[in-house]
Amino acid sequence: MKFSLKLLLWTIIVMAIALGFSGFYFVNYVFETSLAREAKQALDENSILCFAFETAALNVPAKYDVLQDNTVGQIAANLERSGQNTSRMLRLSDEEKKALYASDGFEPDEELLGQIDEVTKAYRTICLNGAYYIQTGSAVNALDRVLYLETLRDVSEVFNERALGFRVYRRVTVVMLILGIVIMHLIASWLTKPIRLLTRATKRMAEGDYDYRARQVSNDELGQLTLDFNQMAEALEENINKLEDEIQAKEDFVGAFAHELKTPLTAIIGYADMLRSRKLDEEKSFLSANYIYTEGKRLEAMSIRLLDIMVTRHGQAQFQEVTAESLFLYLKDMFKTNEDMEFSYSYDKAMVWAESNMIITVLINLLDNACKASEPGAVIEVSGKKEEGGYRFSVKDHGIGMPQPEIQKITKAFYMIDKSRSRSRNGAGLGLSLCTEILSLHNSALEVESVLGEGTKVSFLLPSRKEAGDEEIDH
């Protein structure tokens, strides 16, 4: 069952119960009030008749010392006919509570007589022949006799009004419930509109429409829920786009990897087959062996880079404070045998928070790329500078440079701007991809500035220990 129907159903149930109890209480309260008023009037009328009887008894000629029974009947008959109430019924009983006079329709009944005495009055409500009466009883003192006077007052109208009240209230209740159903249906539809919009949004997203957003129609809790849902949908769409990009990147990686394997393997197999199947002169044999050696070294470099990337992604980085000077001294010692290039080092002395072996790997890759991009004898500038929030390393060459559209692609695996130049120097297109992975562990990233034909500057900022935190970072 829909939530709006549940809300409507329970509202109608509560309304029906509330209207039923309130109607019963109201009609019954009016009935009891009217009945109490009629009972008071009946008792007052009984008192008046008693007084009238006593007065009439005093006016009887004194032939006897005691009031006679036939005289009692005459006085009672006169009292019954007197007054404006022509439907008055009464009964007079003697000291033994035996009836001396009774109006027509006054059925013999001693139940009320048993409850009254000389000082006690009583009344009750009875039903006679489908009509309702209030029966009252009290004692009358007349000429040394104690008689008992009972009256019947017709109160059927009060009961008829109660029945009419219940009928009218039932009709009013039905009308109110019908109006309540219509009004509550509209209210329930309005209240549950945000839920219906959210349901529609979830179905659209389940069908693959991740751009769809639920419309916010209120500022209450449901409106906040809609806002949170849209934020969740945006985060989900972002993650899905990232996953799709990662899947595409993996597919591109596999394709590039297969292509990069195919080229050196084709050369190796071809030259190896030529050496195996033909007798070549010394020069051709050397050239063939050199091609095999060069392509083999490129495969070796590529496998080492891939292994480094995998270790970096899944390994542990043990961070500690190291001096920037020790890193630059290591680079100087590493590249001092490279006589084709001229290296210029300048750096500020400071402590850096890093995994030293990984940062050395990044710097070696950057210098190696700078050497590949430069002509023999060119100057390569290596610098370190203390900045607010960390320490910046920079490697600048004056080589061939890069066009701006290529800068965003150079960190992708196997991507090489000049493939022939890179392959001739055993390049595999994985160095900067490895650098990106390592710097990601250090909460840093490569920053590339390049002008085609003028050179390239690559730098990265290592955050200070305060910025990066003292914790050991596990990946």
Side-chain angles (χ1 to χ4, degrees), residues 333-395:
D333 187 60
M334 182 76 178
F335 286 88
K336 68 182 180 181
T337 58
N338 190 335
E339 298 178 354
D340 294 335
M341 302 294 170
E342 183 179 343
F343 296 94
S344 171
Y345 297 93
S346 63
Y347 53 86
D348 297 337
K349 293 184 179 181
M351 302 297 292
V352 295
W353 181 248
E355 211 289 347
S356 59
N357 291 328
M358 288 186 174
I359 296 301
I360 287 173
T361 300
V362 172
L363 293 171
I364 290 174
N365 274 284
L366 295 182
L367 263 70
D368 188 51
N369 284 342
C371 291
K372 292 175 183 177
S374 303
E375 297 297 331
V379 177
I380 296 176
E381 301 174 10
V382 186
S383 62
K385 186 178 181 181
K386 190 175 181 181
E387 296 183 0
E388 183 179 356
Y391 194 90
R392 181 173 296 279
F393 292 87
S394 301
V395 176

Side-chain angles (χ1 to χ4, degrees), residues 186-320:
L186 297 175
I187 293 175
S189 298
W190 176 67
L191 289 176
T192 57
K193 185 177 181 180
I195 299 176
R196 293 197 303 276
L197 294 175
L198 284 173
T199 302
R200 186 185 307 165
T202 55
K203 288 181 179 178
R204 291 283 294 272
M205 292 188 68
E207 293 170 356
D209 187 3
Y210 301 112
D211 293 331
Y212 189 82
R213 295 292 180 268
R215 184 161 56 93
Q216 187 176 357
V217 294
S218 64
N219 295 319
D220 55 9
E221 290 84 352
L222 290 176
Q224 184 62 42
L225 178 62
T226 302
L227 184 62
D228 294 341
F229 175 86
N230 288 337
Q231 292 175 350
M232 181 196 70
E234 289 176 3
L236 180 62
E237 184 183 11
E238 236 178 85
N239 290 333
I240 289 173
N241 291 335
K242 286 181 181 178
L243 288 174
E244 290 176 348
D245 292 342
E246 288 179 6
I247 292 172
Q248 186 62 43
K250 287 180 180 179
E251 290 179 354
D252 294 342
F253 178 88
V254 171
F257 182 68
H259 179 74
E260 291 297 323
L261 281 179
K262 180 181 177 182
T263 303
L265 285 176
T266 300
I268 290 172
I269 293 171
Y271 283 107
D273 183 63
M274 190 166 57
L275 286 173
R276 183 192 65 171
S277 59
R278 299 180 189 178
K279 189 174 181 179
L280 304 175
D281 56 34
E282 184 177 350
E283 183 181 356
K284 289 183 179 180
S285 296
F286 176 78
L287 290 174
S288 299
N290 187 59
Y291 273 117
I292 293 174
Y293 174 79
T294 302
E295 295 302 311
K297 290 296 289 182
R298 196 159 72 85
L299 283 176
E300 180 187 36
M302 183 167 59
S303 63
I304 290 173
R305 296 296 190 201
L306 285 172
L307 183 61
D308 287 342
I309 291 173
M310 293 176 64
V311 170
T312 301
R313 287 180 178 177
H314 303 290
Q316 291 184 344
Q318 301 291 335
F319 286 77
Q320 59 184 357

